[in-house]
Amino acid sequence: MKERKSGVLLHITSLPGTPGIGTLGKEAYKFADWLKKAGQSLWQILPLGPTGYGDSPYASFSTFAGNPLLIDLDDLVSRGWADSKSIGPAEYIRSEGPVDFGSVVWWKTPVLYNAAGYFLSHADAEAKSSFEKFKSEQKWLDDFAVFTSIKKVYDAKAEKEGVRGRESMWNYYWPKNLASHDKDAIDAWTKEHSDDIECIKVIQFFFDVQWSALKKYVNSLGIKIIGDIPIFVAADSADLWANQALFLFNTKTLRQKACAGVPPDYFSATGQLWGNPLYDWAAHKKTGYAWWLSRISNMLRLVDIVRIDHFRAFDEYWEIPFGAETAVDGKWKKGPGAALFKTIKESLGNLPIIAEDLGVLTPSVEKLRDAVGFPGMKILQFAFSGDEWNSSSAENAYLPHNIDNTNCIMYTGTHDNDTTMGWLKSSGDALKKNLCAYYNLYEDIDLTTLAHTLIRSAFSSVADTCIVPLQDVYGLGTEARMNTPSTTGSNWSWRMDKNLLDDRGASELAWYSKIYRRNGGQSSC
């Protein structure tokens, strides 16, 4: 009999108690302890990369690098890698409430550069030896550090000249020789800015040391970390800049040939225009998918299980003409299919991967997912509509009784959904009526009871794994929503109250895990 597992979805930025943003410090360890008390064996997070436009972890400057904003400053001081007098937050930095990314970047970035300089002049021989080892092992680091160094200079120049948005990006604003990744130009820049580049590498070392220590502690509690990688990289990234031949990208004009997104779906009537560059899969195949091997290897170094966002694009992807205003006029193109995963398996072995298989699926997508053996996702919120409940409603594929393959993960909702309580409140009486009809409850039942009924339903499902966002555990409303797709503004900024975690929430999850046999063994992912 397969082991049944459960866990909680919470990104690092949402942790409380540190200036401006959640970090890899003490509060992360406290949350791990709470997960243990709650009988959970999985901690799911969002992508860990340095966030770019819109502060989205799905639009990172690098798919390999860590987000410097997550580095815990107190930990650096305790290690002797930073001066305690230099880490105090600015007056405009708040320790509670939503993350103000702009303010955090403005304050914390120079603090981290100062700490990097302090490390280079004060760290002991053992720490410096570890740093040199880190630099030699992480092959992506040179390109990322040079990209970040150039970006700092030309972002500042663009801001001074009033250049904004896409026009300030590397492929629009940098000198042609640097934007083209010309070796001589890069060598000259590296020589001239060697101190800055070394500090950038130190900051990545800080992240790696802190993350590795946290992961080791989490694993010691019998908890595995589910990481997340977007299938696509950001246009404004070291990934595209350093690997232009691997994308649908014109290396002469330095412009994308097409961009990524999805057609109209549950989240948006005009689809989602992501703007990411698309892969030249033929070019990847010629290299033996070397870049993908490096990417997956790096993720499996950082986490125990990898969730790949938008898995269906490996079968078919939505190609949108570059410059389009919406995703409506795109067209489906064939992806690499099983060949990519066969190559990865031959090199790396069996892969602990979760396939984000949401959206409009075709039989070929499902066939690919099942052929490579990856568990898919089921979202309980998708199981109910505002229409009157009838016999056809009971055929919804996301309803617990319709799950025909236990090799899947059941969620109440994801980072892209409203919280369950927010969803219940905004959907009105029709949804409440449908839920009561399905669960055979009285229609005058309160929404809090309904929300907990949905959590219990997710835990009791036949899915091998169940994941619940922390917001749902405590019945938080729309104010705690993490992301609303196709919008900008307050996304990704939710941060928990420092007093949120308590024994009540832990006891409830522990009980569900016990009675539905989700509190032991190894993950089935």
Side-chain angles (χ1 to χ4, degrees):
M1 183 176 291
K2 285 186 177 180
E3 296 289 352
R4 287 162 57 80
K5 308 289 284 186
S6 62
V8 173
L9 168 61
L10 179 78
H11 194 40
I12 305 297
T13 56
S14 297
L15 291 165
T18 45
I21 192 170
T23 73
L24 304 175
K26 293 180 180 178
E27 293 297 333
Y29 289 79
K30 288 181 182 178
F31 180 68
D33 290 337
W34 181 89
L35 284 173
K36 178 68 173 179
K37 183 185 295 184
Q40 303 308 295
S41 55
L42 297 169
W43 178 2
Q44 182 170 335
I45 59 172
L46 303 184
L48 288 168
T51 52
Y53 174 73
D55 310 309
S56 171
Y58 294 90
S60 172
F61 294 133
S62 169
T63 192
F64 292 89
N67 188 348
L69 300 183
L70 303 183
I71 293 171
D72 189 78
L73 299 176
D74 289 330
D75 179 79
L76 295 183
V77 173
S78 70
R79 293 176 184 272
W81 296 353
D83 183 353
S84 60
K85 298 178 181 178
S86 69
I87 67 167
E91 292 181 356
Y92 53 81
I93 295 297
R94 58 191 182 219
S95 293
E96 298 181 21
V99 179
D100 182 344
F101 285 96
S103 295
V104 173
V105 170
W106 185 260
W107 157 68
K108 196 166 186 176
T109 300
V111 172
L112 287 169
Y113 275 86
N114 287 337
Y118 188 91
F119 172 89
L120 290 170
S121 60
H122 290 81
D124 59 28
E126 182 179 357
K128 288 186 177 179
S129 176
S130 296
F131 173 53
E132 292 300 322
K133 183 172 184 287
F134 172 74
K135 287 194 296 181
S136 67
E137 290 178 345
Q138 306 310 313
K139 304 304 181 184
W140 53 269
L141 187 58
D142 286 337
D143 275 324
F144 172 75
V146 174
F147 175 84
T148 304
S149 176
I150 301 172
K151 183 174 175 59
K152 279 175 55 185
V153 172
Y154 284 97
D155 278 1
K157 185 174 184 292
E159 184 175 357
K160 186 176 181 180
E161 296 178 357
V163 179
R164 294 286 190 273
R166 185 174 68 183
E167 300 306 315
S168 67
M169 284 171 49
W170 65 270
N171 56 323
Y172 286 83
Y173 195 71
W174 293 9
K176 182 72 178 290
N177 59 352
L178 289 174
S180 298
H181 202 261
D182 177 76
K183 184 179 184 304
D184 291 339
I186 291 171
D187 288 345
W189 184 278
T190 300
K191 183 177 180 180
E192 184 178 352
H193 298 85
S194 58
D195 290 344
D196 184 56
I197 290 171
E198 192 74 351
C199 283
I200 293 167
K201 293 180 179 181
V202 170
I203 292 170
Q204 284 301 305
F205 174 68
F206 288 165
F207 176 92
D208 195 77
V209 168
Q210 290 188 357
W211 176 260
S212 297
L214 175 61
K215 181 179 182 295
K216 182 178 180 180
Y217 181 77
V218 172
N219 289 164
S220 75
L221 299 177
I223 299 168
K224 291 188 175 183
I225 298 177
I226 302 176
D228 196 328
I229 58 172
I231 183 174
F232 299 118
V233 302
D236 193 15
S237 70
D239 307 303
L240 176 58
W241 174 69
N243 302 280
Q244 295 171 30
L246 296 178
F247 295 86
L248 296 182
F249 189 82
N250 189 318
T251 56
K252 293 182 179 179
T253 63
L254 299 177
R255 297 293 182 267
Q256 292 174 228
K257 297 177 182 178
C259 58
V262 291
D265 61 8
Y266 173 89
F267 293 111
S268 174
T270 58
Q272 297 179 44
L273 178 58
W274 297 333
N276 307 74
L278 292 168
Y279 299 108
D280 183 337
W281 285 114
H284 279 273
K285 185 177 182 180
K286 288 180 181 178
T287 68
Y289 300 107
W291 183 86
W292 273 96
L293 288 172
S294 296
R295 190 183 192 192
I296 298 296
S297 294
N298 185 65
M299 276 301 297
L300 292 177
R301 181 179 69 88
L302 297 173
V303 301
D304 302 296
I305 302 164
V306 179
R307 172 191 178 274
I308 300 182
D309 194 56
H310 195 53
F311 177 82
R312 76 148 301 158
F314 290 113
D315 178 64
E316 288 184 314
Y317 57 90
W318 192 245
E319 181 181 287
I320 304 166
F322 185 69
E325 294 184 1
T326 73
V328 171
D329 293 326
K331 54 186 177 181
W332 291 110
K333 290 295 190 71
K334 291 299 295 181
L340 169 63
F341 297 104
K342 180 182 178 182
T343 300
I344 295 175
K345 184 176 181 179
E346 289 173 350
S347 178
L348 303 178
N350 290 323
L351 302 172
I353 287 177
I354 295 170
E356 187 273 289
D357 57 347
L358 306 176
V360 180
L361 297 184
T362 62
S364 62
V365 177
E366 295 174 339
K367 182 179 179 181
L368 173 62
R369 178 200 63 206
D370 295 341
V372 295
F374 299 156
M377 295 172 57
K378 302 293 184 182
I379 312 300
L380 197 51
Q381 286 188 23
F382 291 172
F384 302 93
S385 70
D387 300 328
E388 182 177 355
W389 185 263
N390 53 45
S391 59
S392 62
S393 304
E395 298 175 4
N396 187 295
Y398 291 101
L399 284 169
H401 68 265
N402 286 330
I403 297 176
D404 57 1
N405 184 352
T406 64
N407 187 31
C408 66
I409 293 84
M410 173 64 83
Y411 294 81
T412 49
T414 73
H415 63 274
D416 281 334
N417 294 94
D418 199 348
T419 66
T420 293
M421 183 60 76
W423 169 68
L424 288 170
K425 288 181 177 179
S426 64
S427 298
D429 292 338
L431 173 63
K432 183 178 179 181
K433 183 177 180 180
N434 285 352
L435 285 165
C436 289
Y438 179 75
Y439 289 109
N440 194 27
L441 299 170
Y442 295 105
E443 291 184 21
D444 61 353
I445 200 166
D446 62 83
L447 295 184
T448 299
T449 301
L450 270 180
H452 283 275
T453 297
L454 286 163
I455 293 175
R456 183 164 187 160
S457 182
F459 269 81
S460 68
S461 73
V462 299
D464 290 340
T465 306
C466 167
I467 302 288
V468 178
L470 185 70
Q471 296 96 313
D472 287 355
V473 176
Y474 287 98
L476 303 183
T478 300
E479 74 282 355
R481 182 171 185 165
M482 199 62 172
N483 179 51
T484 303
S486 299
T487 69
T488 58
S490 61
N491 290 330
W492 316 111
S493 63
W494 176 72
R495 204 171 178 201
M496 77 163 81
D497 183 272
K498 63 181 180 180
N499 298 315
L500 182 65
L501 300 181
D502 61 17
D503 290 342
R504 178 186 62 83
S507 296
E508 180 182 9
L509 291 190
W511 175 245
Y512 289 161
S513 291
K514 181 179 180 180
I515 63 174
Y516 297 120
R517 203 171 45 79
R518 295 189 181 276
N519 60 344
Q522 299 299 313
S523 173
S524 60
C525 294

